Amino acid sequence: MRALFISVCLLLLPLWSAAQSFLAIKDSAYFDNIGNGYHQYSLVAYNPLTCVDSLITIIDTTGYQILEISDVAAGPSGEIYVLTFGLLNSGEGEACVSLLNTQTGSITCLFNFYPLGFAGNSLVCSADSVLYAAGVALASYDLKTGVGTYHGVLSNSFLSSGDMIFQNEKLYLTGAGNLLMEVNIENPSASVIVASYPQLPPDREVWGIASNIYDCDSSDLFLVVGVNTGNFIQREYDIYSLDFSTQQIGLVCTGAGPYYYIGSTTYNEYLTSDCSVRLDLDTNNSSGADSADYQVTVCGSGPVFISDTSDMELYSGYRIDSLQLRLIPLMPGEALVAGATPSTLTLTGQNSSSLTFINPGNVIFSDFQSALRTVYWQYTGGGNPATGQRTVEVTMFARGDRQDTALAYINLIDFPQSHETLQRCFGQPYTWNGHLLASDTTICATFNGLNSCDSTHCLTLDFYYPGLSFD
């Protein structure tokens, strides 16, 4: 059985360019299994179709007398996290959730579980950016709040063998003796064992589980299996496919050499921790619109975005089939335009009253979110557009007839008669005649260009203030 915090190789999944591949942290140098071993860890991409890996980065152990890495996870924004146990050069010990810089190989401790009395060898991230770690107990670290939590000891003296995954909003943990536990996050002592793998040879043990998600109903899963002999010189490993519904496995790769892999993750396995479909054009409701809608007032021809691009959210744990936008009512010279569209999506209806982004394969939600944030309304006809309200209906369609809809309200107003030119240097408040303008004043601005003012960059603007005089 693998002990907590021994040297490891971890497996992760690369992005959709290689749908069935996964990433890994590989332990490629090792000696002495009585506590004085030397390890060199590297992040690699492992391809189960060829049973070959490729180097991404070597992990930098600067600052540590001893550093052991026991598992790895990918966050919703693509960051890579590792669970580390080490002895610093200062002589202090730590058991950390750490951020891995995939460019330099450096690691940064985000939270030290050591003072909580927790040590683990399994790690996974959820869609709401919470990292869960397990050993004989369960703990978590919230990436948004920076809060670490000790949840409690697992039931039945269960000992993690090295990895966790989410499936259909439930958390599962691999265990010693080739067991699989469904983890009760709120009450770990109530967790239950749901499967085992008697098909494995008696000297093999599951050290990792990787889930390459297409959506909450469909995924490719792999088991990372190591030699459980206590002889770390024997660096054999196997990769198995896993049918999660039946718990049947099939041998995919086998290998031996001066390295091994333990633990696993993929860039998208967090999706199954949140099997929902939701669309919100203004998450913090700063525009004043209700619910998931958005509103904006514009004078002139635009362009104007149809969402709050700073916090608009589109999410689906299921495969998105399409994202459709309709401009209502249809007015001459008005259209919806998409900016830089991800190459993974197919776009129809550009510069018309109806845009559609289509999923030609297994594109996950983030590409749709990026595309939607570029969409804007624009008038290209003669003169000024007719005043009044336009509505942009945005609907996301996902697998299984799942969908969500949000509305963008564009209020077109006349150009006011009051008009002055104002020069503002960066760092100065927006004022007129020494008075700070009200935050709710509707402003239409025409950019006239950049110039300099006492060596400070300034911007000259033509401001139009409805109902505001300039005396």
Side-chain angles (χ1 to χ4, degrees):
M1 179 183 69
R2 183 175 66 126
L4 294 183
F5 300 119
I6 66 169
S7 68
V8 298
C9 275
L10 315 166
L11 290 156
L12 310 115
L13 246 268
L15 294 174
W16 291 97
S17 59
Q20 291 187 336
S21 299
F22 43 87
L23 303 179
I25 291 179
K26 179 169 68 174
D27 180 4
S28 56
Y30 183 90
F31 65 87
D32 190 351
N33 62 355
I34 59 173
N36 296 313
Y38 170 78
H39 316 279
Q40 177 173 290
Y41 301 104
S42 56
L43 180 67
V44 301
Y46 189 93
N47 187 337
L49 299 179
T50 62
C51 302
V52 174
D53 65 44
S54 55
L55 176 68
I56 296 175
T57 189
I58 296 175
I59 297 178
D60 185 2
T61 59
T62 301
Y64 292 89
Q65 297 181 42
I66 300 174
L67 177 66
E68 297 177 348
I69 302 176
S70 52
D71 202 5
V72 65
S77 298
E79 299 92 348
I80 301 299
Y81 303 94
V82 289
L83 195 59
T84 63
F85 182 76
L87 180 65
L88 297 165
N89 289 337
S90 64
E92 298 179 5
E94 65 176 27
C96 287
V97 171
S98 299
L99 175 67
L100 172 62
N101 186 319
T102 57
Q103 301 299 314
T104 66
S106 63
I107 57 173
T108 303
C109 178
L110 301 178
F111 187 82
N112 187 3
F113 286 112
Y114 201 80
L116 298 181
F118 173 82
N121 61 1
S122 299
L123 188 68
V124 72
C125 192
S126 68
D128 57 352
S129 298
V130 176
L131 286 159
Y132 291 93
V136 297
L138 181 72
S140 67
Y141 173 70
D142 192 320
L143 291 164
K144 301 185 301 296
T145 65
V147 174
T149 303
Y150 179 81
H151 293 264
V153 177
L154 297 165
S155 61
N156 302 319
S157 301
F158 190 88
L159 175 62
S160 166
S161 65
D163 211 347
M164 288 187 285
I165 59 164
F166 281 100
Q167 288 289 291
N168 295 308
E169 298 184 294
K170 295 180 180 179
L171 179 60
Y172 294 89
L173 171 66
T174 63
N178 294 329
L179 301 176
L180 186 70
M181 171 176 279
E182 181 182 320
V183 178
N184 186 319
I185 295 175
E186 301 303 322
N187 182 14
S189 64
S191 302
V192 295
I193 296 171
V194 294
S196 63
Y197 302 100
Q199 310 98 313
L200 292 174
D203 65 340
R204 299 295 201 265
E205 183 169 87
V206 177
W207 286 345
I209 186 168
S211 181
N212 192 1
I213 305 299
Y214 301 105
D215 62 41
C216 282
D217 292 331
S218 178
S219 60
D220 290 333
L221 287 93
F222 299 96
L223 296 179
V224 182
V225 179
V227 177
N228 185 21
T229 63
N231 180 5
F232 291 103
I233 298 175
Q234 189 174 358
R235 309 296 291 280
E236 297 179 16
Y237 65 90
D238 298 317
I239 308 296
Y240 285 83
S241 62
L242 169 65
D243 184 327
F244 197 83
S245 61
T246 65
Q247 293 298 316
Q248 295 300 304
I249 63 175
L251 182 63
V252 175
C253 297
T254 186
Y259 55 86
Y260 62 101
Y261 307 92
I262 300 173
S264 55
T265 192
T266 72
Y267 272 116
N268 56 21
E269 66 185 12
Y270 65 85
L271 288 174
T272 52
S273 69
D274 183 4
C275 292
S276 65
V277 175
R278 60 181 183 270
L279 175 63
D280 194 330
L281 300 179
D282 181 16
T283 302
N284 64 4
N285 297 323
S286 60
S287 71
D290 295 332
S291 187
D293 299 335
Y294 176 70
Q295 64 183 10
V296 62
T297 300
V298 61
C299 43
S301 58
V304 60
F305 288 110
I306 58 92
S307 68
D308 185 336
T309 58
S310 65
D311 68 356
M312 183 276 291
E313 182 183 39
L314 180 155
Y315 177 86
S316 177
Y318 301 91
R319 180 189 184 276
I320 300 174
D321 296 319
S322 65
L323 179 68
Q324 299 180 13
L325 299 89
R326 289 195 306 145
L327 178 60
I328 308 169
L330 176 59
M331 301 290 286
E334 298 181 23
L336 298 175
V337 183
T341 302
S343 60
T344 53
L345 301 178
T346 300
L347 172 64
T348 63
Q350 176 73 300
N351 200 33
S352 74
S353 62
S354 180
L355 286 181
T356 302
F357 297 96
I358 300 171
N359 187 350
N362 289 309
V363 180
I364 60 175
F365 73 94
S366 56
D367 284 356
F368 282 92
Q369 177 172 272
S370 297
L372 183 54
R373 285 181 174 175
T374 73
V375 176
Y376 57 88
W377 169 92
Q378 188 171 32
Y379 174 72
T380 57
N384 295 321
T387 59
Q389 180 175 282
R390 312 292 189 267
T391 301
V392 180
E393 180 185 71
V394 185
T395 305
M396 175 172 57
F397 297 92
R399 177 178 286 185
D401 295 324
R402 302 173 178 91
Q403 67 181 67
D404 196 15
T405 299
L407 303 175
Y409 302 104
I410 302 173
N411 301 305
L412 274 67
I413 61 175
D414 282 329
F415 268 99
Q417 298 303 311
S418 300
H419 165 245
E420 288 290 340
T421 298
L422 175 69
Q423 185 182 73
R424 175 184 181 267
C425 297
F426 289 107
Q428 296 177 351
Y430 287 99
T431 60
W432 181 258
N433 287 346
H435 299 287
L436 187 66
L437 297 176
S439 61
D440 59 352
T441 300
T442 300
I443 300 176
C444 296
T446 302
F447 290 85
N448 287 340
L450 286 167
N451 52 45
S452 61
C453 175
D454 296 328
S455 300
T456 303
H457 291 296
C458 301
L459 189 62
T460 301
L461 304 173
D462 284 335
F463 285 104
Y464 300 84
Y465 299 94
L468 184 66
S469 64
F470 289 91
D471 49 24

